Amino acid sequence: MKHTIEGYRSRLQTPARAQQYAERFEKPSRRRIDRRERSAVRRIFARLPDCATVLDVPSGAGRLASAVGQGRRLVIEMDVAFEILLHARQRAQRDGQRAVMVQADASKLPLVD
């Protein structure tokens, strides 16, 4: 399948496929990668104390939102696939993360600034 926004969106449009995508880093073979990436993101954002809002695009299932949103930053989770944003919302609620979910295409950001 060609790597396009439509291809990505169609891969994640069913709840089952979105669930599978959302859980991919919970598998034992990828947990170490997940921990390492979260740690790196936390270190980077720890050096940005004045950063109050972060746009995570494409956010996928919001795997990095808690690391990006440390210090009560607002995280705008944006993805073209609505079904995957449902997982991002659940994760944000579970983690007590300040997050807003926006379904949008990264090439046409619906943001003013």
Side-chain angles (χ1 to χ4, degrees):
M1 176 181 283
K2 192 173 181 180
H3 296 287
T4 64
I5 290 172
E6 285 305 317
Y8 172 79
R9 182 184 302 163
S10 68
R11 279 196 337 257
L12 299 176
Q13 277 187 331
T14 67
R17 291 178 122 183
Q19 180 76 30
Q20 182 181 23
Y21 181 87
E23 293 175 349
R24 74 193 186 289
F25 281 96
E26 294 175 18
K27 295 178 182 178
S29 63
R30 292 190 173 184
R31 284 186 190 140
R32 223 169 95 202
I33 293 168
D34 183 53
R35 281 193 305 269
R36 191 171 54 237
E37 288 178 353
R38 286 177 193 253
S39 177
V41 169
R42 276 190 207 92
R43 284 192 312 270
I44 291 166
F45 280 89
R47 294 178 175 204
L48 303 170
D50 296 331
C51 176
T53 305
V54 175
L55 173 62
D56 182 7
V57 59
S59 66
R63 181 172 69 90
L64 299 175
S66 64
V68 170
Q70 65 190 355
R72 299 297 296 159
R73 285 187 185 98
L74 174 64
V75 180
I76 301 171
E77 298 279 22
M78 187 179 293
D79 204 288
V80 71
F82 175 76
E83 290 75 9
I84 203 68
L85 285 172
L86 296 175
H87 291 278
R89 177 177 286 140
Q90 289 173 348
R91 184 172 289 179
Q93 289 172 343
R94 180 192 71 206
D95 294 345
Q97 180 62 49
R98 290 182 58 219
V100 175
M101 310 304 151
V102 179
Q103 182 183 8
D105 181 331
S107 67
K108 301 172 191 147
L109 297 177
L111 303 172
V112 176
D113 184 2

